[in-house]
């Protein structure tokens, strides 16, 4: 039995290419792709974090189309992952919601393509998820990654996904990084 | 030293939701996401396979924007993965091109979300990539997966990515499936 795991995609506070603090836009495919990966790997809630009301409303309209509207009829397979998506204002709100849903304080685990202090391996993180404990909120950043304040305030920091290339090129999309992380943390099938 | 690995995204012949043979459209994000994942994991060529000239021209215009146009200036990190993309008419053309580039007949390895006969584990496939041998073309389907003719004609079939869910829900996007497969096959291997 693993600990309850949830995932958050943060649009603020994140970094821009030049390292300043910015707010990114919600994109349709970040909703779909990460919801599908999350649901496939047994994630219990996918939080879209955005401080701007108009962006949250846009996301909610997309979700409604796939959970209640014509999308749900046309592609019923899309409904369960979309039902697990929750649109919130801040990472704190996401963390409090996870804690409330599971009746125990959620641990915040952050990810980055950059090295972070005190980071643990994905293997160690997978081991922690298999041991008894409270719920976990795995946090991914959009743009050029989570702001330092989010990284410093987290309970756990996960090592970056390392490129096997000699030149170290490492520019995965957040959708690809989410899929790889969920596979490394949650794939329970030793036969593959 | 691993074998040279290439990847192909097939838009025909693939299956529709109801199991009939169809041609799907090239999507912008399939180009970007899979090119970024492929380049990060040291893949040496990413083949976009489409039988319709207008679709190939569309893809070529997108690629040109990111390799020579303003996209290359604005986000230079996107240039190397986009330079590795090759637009071809058929899977046979892709296979012949890989064979010609590496001077040895390419092996075609196919993937599917459905069980296939004589399929090998991802661990076994990763082991084969680390041993001496000719180039490999890893083939992914769009739509509801590769046509049976492609699966039956392949040199190797890889087991599906298995969901750890009790209900077996397994609807990864092709972008997520590509990322997970590349990570399982190539993470930790030295650059070829």
């Amino acid at each position: 039995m693993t600990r309850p795991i949830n995932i958050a995609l943060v649009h603020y506070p994140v970094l821009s290419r030049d390292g300043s603090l910015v707010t990114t836009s919600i994109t349709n495919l970040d909703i779909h792709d990460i919801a599908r990966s999350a649901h496939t790997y047994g994630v219990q809630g996918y939080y879209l974090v955005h401080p701007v009301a108009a962006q949250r409303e846009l996301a909610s309209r997309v979700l409604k189309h796939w959970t209640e509207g014509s999308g749900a009829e046309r592609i019923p397979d899309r409904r369960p992952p979309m039902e697990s998506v929750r649109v919130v204002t801040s990472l704190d709100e996401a963390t409090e919601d996870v804690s409330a849903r599971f009746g125990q304080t959620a641990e915040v685990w952050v990810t980055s393509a950059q090295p972070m202090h005190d980071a643990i391996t994905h293997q160690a993180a997978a081991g922690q998820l298999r041991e008894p404990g409270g719920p976990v909120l795995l946090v991914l950043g959009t743009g050029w990654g989570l702001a330092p304040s989010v990284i410093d305030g987290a309970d756990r920091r996960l090592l970056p996904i390392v490129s096997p290339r000699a030149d170290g090129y490492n520019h995965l999309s957040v959708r690809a990084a989410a899929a790889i992380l969920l596979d490394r943390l949650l794939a329970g099938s030793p036969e593959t």
Side-chain angles (χ1 to χ4, degrees), chain A residues 32-43 175 178-179 182:
Chain A
H32 281 262
D33 270 27
I34 297 176
R36 292 167 70 181
S37 295
H39 193 71
T40 296
Y41 280 94
V43 169
R175 298 167 291 281
L182 292 174

Side-chain angles (χ1 to χ4, degrees), chain A residues 100-172:
Chain A
R101 281 168 57 218
F102 296 97
Q104 201 171 346
T105 306
E107 268 184 21
V108 175
W109 293 13
V110 292
T111 63
S112 172
Q114 305 303 322
M116 297 179 286
H117 59 93
D118 306 324
I120 63 172
T121 65
H122 299 152
Q123 205 171 22
Q128 292 190 15
L129 289 176
R130 282 191 297 267
E131 284 168 16
V136 168
L137 180 61
L138 182 70
V139 184
L140 295 141
T142 55
W144 269 259
L146 294 165
S149 61
V150 176
I151 288 172
D152 294 338
D155 299 301
R156 295 272 183 286
R157 282 161 286 278
L158 270 56
L159 281 171
I161 297 165
V162 175
S163 165
R165 295 179 62 88
D167 67 7
Y169 182 95
N170 192 1
H171 293 282
L172 296 171

Side-chain angles (χ1 to χ4, degrees), chain A residues 57 80 84 140 185:
Chain A
E57 280 157 25
S84 78
L140 295 141
L185 297 182

Side-chain angles (χ1 to χ4, degrees), chain A residues 45-84:
Chain A
Y46 167 27
Y47 291 84
L48 282 173
V49 179
H50 208 293
V52 177
Q55 283 278 305
R56 293 196 303 277
E57 280 157 25
L58 175 72
S60 297
R61 277 205 304 279
V62 169
L63 293 170
K64 199 170 174 186
H65 172 76
W66 291 100
T67 54
E68 301 173 21
S70 58
E73 279 177 42
R74 194 168 60 84
I75 308 188
D77 290 341
R78 202 59 57 86
R79 188 172 176 164
M82 294 305 241
E83 282 175 343
S84 78

